């Protein structure tokens, strides 16, 4: 095993992704309780104390809810951009000065044998980022909470062996659904969330022979269904002659439980 990857939870109700090598293990976002994360890690035979760093994409509660507790319990450093720190520190509670670490978009952050590269994403948060993680000659990218597709996003997603990509909503379900008007506008805006259709379009554009596994995640509970997201993306890819199952493995990240552990 060179690198392993597993989503612990993924959805508008909470996000946490585990990945690592034999030597270095990290979490991207801790948006559910510390207890829930512990049980997800236990299923992977990973102890909380083995986590070397928590990387936060942005300050929304579905990404930071359990981060403070987890950091305190296991003395784990939290890495985030400057403005994300400012926006989330009241919610996190007291974090030991030594566990307060900064990352900067497009600047590599070296953590043992991992190199973590944050990149800017358009989303209605203070200084939101996605992360590409390089280790053992592999590249894994987490890209959720994307209001729209940018060249920066395309560049960072390209050539990832594993990609966790947002497929947040079906546009018709959202438009006809229960959300109040202002919330619908927010989700649909350029700093909101990525639709199933746009997730498919983005994938079709960046697809290369190097990409092996795509996980669709951060689904809206009200405005999407896993099967709908999967088939919409599958259809968009088929228009570009990309066959799911043949050219790329695609699966859904689970909202409440560990997804499948992938080793590359
Ligand atoms: Zn968000
Ligand atoms: Zn989110």
């Amino acid at each position: 095993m060179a690198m392993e990857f597993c989503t612990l939870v993924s959805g508008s109700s909470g996000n946490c992704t585990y990945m690592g090598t034999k030597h270095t293990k990290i979490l991207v976002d801790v948006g559910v309780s510390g207890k829930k994360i512990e049980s997800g890690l236990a299923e992977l035979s990973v102890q909380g104390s083995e986590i070397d760093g928590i990387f936060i994409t942005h300050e929304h509660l579905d990404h930071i809810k359990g981060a403070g507790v987890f950091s305190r319990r296991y003395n784990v450093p939290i890495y985030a951009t400057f403005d994300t720190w400012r926006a989330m520190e009241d919610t996190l509670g007291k974090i030991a000065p030594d566990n307060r670490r900064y990352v900067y978009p497009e600047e590599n952050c070296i953590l043992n044998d991992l190199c973590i590269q944050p990149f800017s994403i358009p989303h209605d948060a203070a200084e939101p980022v996605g992360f590409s993680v390089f280790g053992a000659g592999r590249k894994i990218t987490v890209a959720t909470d994307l209001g729209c597709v940018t060249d920066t996003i395309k560049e960072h997603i390209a050539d990832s062996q594993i990609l966790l990509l947002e497929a947040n909503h079906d546009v018709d379900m959202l438009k006809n659904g229960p959300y109040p008007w202002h919330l619908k506008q927010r989700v649909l805006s350029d700093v909101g969330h990525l639709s199933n259709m746009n997730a498919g379009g983005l994938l079709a554009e960046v697809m290369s022979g190097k990409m092996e596994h795509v996980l669709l995640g951060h689904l809206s509970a009200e405005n999407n269904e896993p099967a709908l997201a999967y088939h919409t993306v599958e259809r968009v890819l088929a228009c570009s002659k990309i066959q799911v199952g043949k050219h790329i493995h695609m699966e859904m990240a689970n909202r409440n439980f560990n997804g499948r552990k992938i080793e590359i």
Side-chain angles (χ1 to χ4, degrees):
M1 182 270 287
M3 266 188 106
E4 56 181 14
F5 169 98
C6 188
T7 54
L8 302 192
V9 286
S10 180
S12 47
S13 45
N15 297 277
C16 181
T17 302
Y18 160 80
M19 68 187 85
T21 62
K22 200 172 166 194
H23 306 289
T24 315
K25 302 179 188 324
I26 64 169
L27 297 175
V28 173
D29 292 328
V30 180
V32 286
S33 71
K35 217 179 152 116
K36 175 84 186 154
I37 301 300
E38 278 166 14
S39 66
L41 287 175
E43 277 180 45
L44 301 169
S45 305
V46 175
Q47 307 288 319
S49 55
E50 289 180 81
I51 299 297
D52 298 289
I54 297 169
F55 287 77
I56 300 290
T57 58
H58 64 294
E59 71 275 15
H60 291 161
L61 207 56
D62 58 318
H63 299 262
I64 66 165
K65 197 173 172 193
V69 171
F70 197 92
S71 168
R72 285 186 286 277
R73 186 171 300 162
Y74 296 106
N75 192 27
V76 182
I78 297 178
Y79 295 78
T81 58
F82 187 83
D83 284 339
T84 297
W85 264 113
R86 282 219 303 215
M88 72 180 178
E89 53 199 345
D90 289 348
T91 314
L92 287 192
K94 200 166 168 49
I95 301 298
D98 200 36
N99 285 336
R100 199 185 159 97
R101 311 276 176 95
Y102 292 92
V103 292
Y104 305 91
E106 305 298 335
E107 267 187 39
N108 292 342
C109 169
I110 307 293
L111 186 57
N112 307 326
D113 59 344
L114 292 184
C115 171
I116 297 103
Q117 199 174 70
F119 58 93
S120 294
I121 55 170
H123 189 56
D124 55 356
E127 194 184 0
V129 290
F131 292 106
S132 286
V133 180
F134 299 82
R138 313 285 202 271
K139 178 182 181 184
I140 298 177
T141 300
V142 174
T144 65
D145 302 71
L146 311 174
C148 58
V149 174
T150 64
D151 287 344
T152 302
I153 293 172
K154 284 187 221 165
E155 277 162 32
H156 284 270
I157 283 178
D159 296 337
S160 304
Q161 274 84 47
I162 302 178
L163 168 66
L164 171 60
L165 179 65
E166 174 171 58
N168 179 260
H169 57 275
D170 174 79
V171 173
D172 287 335
M173 272 182 85
L174 174 70
K175 284 186 176 162
N176 300 317
Y179 275 15
W181 186 84
H182 72 274
L183 205 51
K184 290 181 183 179
Q185 292 308 114
R186 190 222 140 203
V187 173
L188 288 167
S189 80
D190 278 355
V191 288
H193 291 278
L194 205 65
S195 69
N196 297 337
M197 204 71 125
N198 289 342
L202 169 58
L203 267 181
E205 246 189 284
V206 302
M207 191 63 72
S208 72
K210 285 194 178 169
M211 202 176 271
E212 293 171 19
H213 300 273
V214 172
L215 292 102
L216 302 177
H218 206 299
L219 269 68
S220 162
E222 288 83 8
N223 306 308
N224 212 351
E225 295 284 346
L228 177 62
Y230 186 95
H231 292 304
T232 304
V233 172
E234 190 181 36
R235 265 204 313 276
V236 176
L237 290 176
C239 293
S240 297
K241 307 225 175 327
I242 299 162
Q243 233 176 300
V244 172
K246 185 176 174 193
H247 302 115
I248 184 89
H249 296 279
M250 191 167 82
E251 54 200 280
M252 303 306 299
N254 199 299
R255 167 177 299 282
N256 296 310
F257 304 103
N258 281 15
R260 187 171 66 86
K261 182 170 86 170
I262 301 173
E263 298 181 14
I264 51 169

